[in-house]
Amino acid sequence: MFLHWLVRFIFFLLCKLFFHFEVRGRQNIPESGGFILVSNHVSFLDPILLSISCPRVLNYMARDSLFRNPVFGWGLLDVGVFPVKRWSADLPAIRAAVRRLKAGRGLGLFPEGARSPDGQIRDFSQGFALLADKAGVPIVPARVIGSYRAWGKGSKMIRPVKIRVVFGECMRLDKDQPYIETARQAREKIKRMY
């Protein structure tokens, strides 16, 4: 975890200097217990921005191809990232996520599945609602604003623009509601955040 805190501190300073970084809604992060943080995804910067904004440590699922390089893979594992096979029912990854949530950890997820090619929020997959149901944890919607202009998909260089992270109020899963409806509601809440 030492690497996590060191990297977090360095990136926080860089973001403050380079992006006039601002965070709103930190009080909406539960003080204890597991939770799932769901966010839009428009830049490689997003996991870093959410991690340095959140008052608690976040774990992440990341595509398994990122772990092919042993050194980079070790670094990811050391900061709480674990592999998932995208676009499949990866049962070991689902079990790992539920274990972490039941152990009281925060889990950051990007339900769009990949970075948005145009900065717009795309449809959400419903997997995060399933995880919240299995682990019995709340869902915290979040939005990263400005990171697409800073370093969106296809950008060759990082631009110094203002970036803001907004955390919304916790959502509790309604047991009678289909997961797809929970995903739609979370997406709509995130779209309205500014």
Side-chain angles (χ1 to χ4, degrees):
M1 279 314 236
F2 171 75
L3 180 60
H4 170 86
W5 291 108
L6 178 63
V7 169
R8 181 179 169 140
F9 178 72
I10 291 168
F11 276 106
F12 182 80
L13 289 178
L14 290 173
C15 287
K16 273 298 211 189
L17 292 169
F18 201 66
F19 299 121
H20 304 289
F21 187 55
E22 181 182 310
V23 181
R24 293 187 185 162
R26 276 192 178 112
Q27 73 278 4
N28 292 319
I29 302 295
E31 290 182 14
S32 62
F35 67 96
I36 296 175
L37 185 112
V38 294
S39 176
N40 63 317
H41 194 20
V42 294
S43 170
F44 279 128
L45 297 171
D46 296 340
I48 295 166
L49 295 166
L50 290 170
S51 292
I52 65 174
S53 302
C54 187
R56 294 182 54 198
V57 173
L58 287 174
N59 288 227
Y60 289 95
M61 286 179 160
R63 68 177 191 262
D64 58 347
S65 61
L66 293 175
F67 293 82
R68 289 185 188 141
N69 178 309
V71 174
F72 188 64
W74 172 83
L76 289 173
L77 291 169
D78 194 57
V79 296
V81 180
F82 59 101
V84 63
K85 293 179 182 130
R86 287 197 306 178
W87 320 119
S88 71
D90 185 347
L91 294 178
I94 291 168
R95 284 193 289 271
V98 171
R99 268 195 314 275
R100 288 168 191 239
L101 291 166
K102 286 186 174 182
R105 298 182 188 168
L107 179 64
L109 295 175
F110 299 107
E112 292 168 278
R115 287 172 296 137
S116 170
D118 57 6
Q120 300 300 310
I121 298 176
R122 298 177 301 151
D123 288 341
F124 281 13
S125 69
Q126 58 192 352
F128 72 91
L130 168 79
L131 291 175
D133 187 21
K134 296 289 183 201
V137 298
I139 298 162
V140 179
R143 183 165 185 183
V144 182
I145 303 162
S147 64
Y148 180 76
R149 289 186 303 128
W151 194 22
K153 195 167 188 175
S155 295
K156 302 282 188 241
M157 53 192 292
I158 299 175
R159 290 184 286 263
V161 300
K162 182 166 183 61
I163 294 179
R164 181 183 309 128
V165 171
V166 182
F167 297 114
E169 292 182 8
C170 282
M171 298 172 59
R172 289 279 173 188
L173 202 66
D174 180 347
K175 296 283 188 182
D176 298 325
Q177 181 171 279
Y179 295 151
I180 194 72
E181 180 59 19
T182 301
R184 188 197 66 76
Q185 287 178 358
R187 180 179 180 268
E188 288 307 310
K189 283 187 178 201
I190 291 167
K191 280 176 71 174
R192 291 193 301 266
M193 288 181 185
Y194 285 98

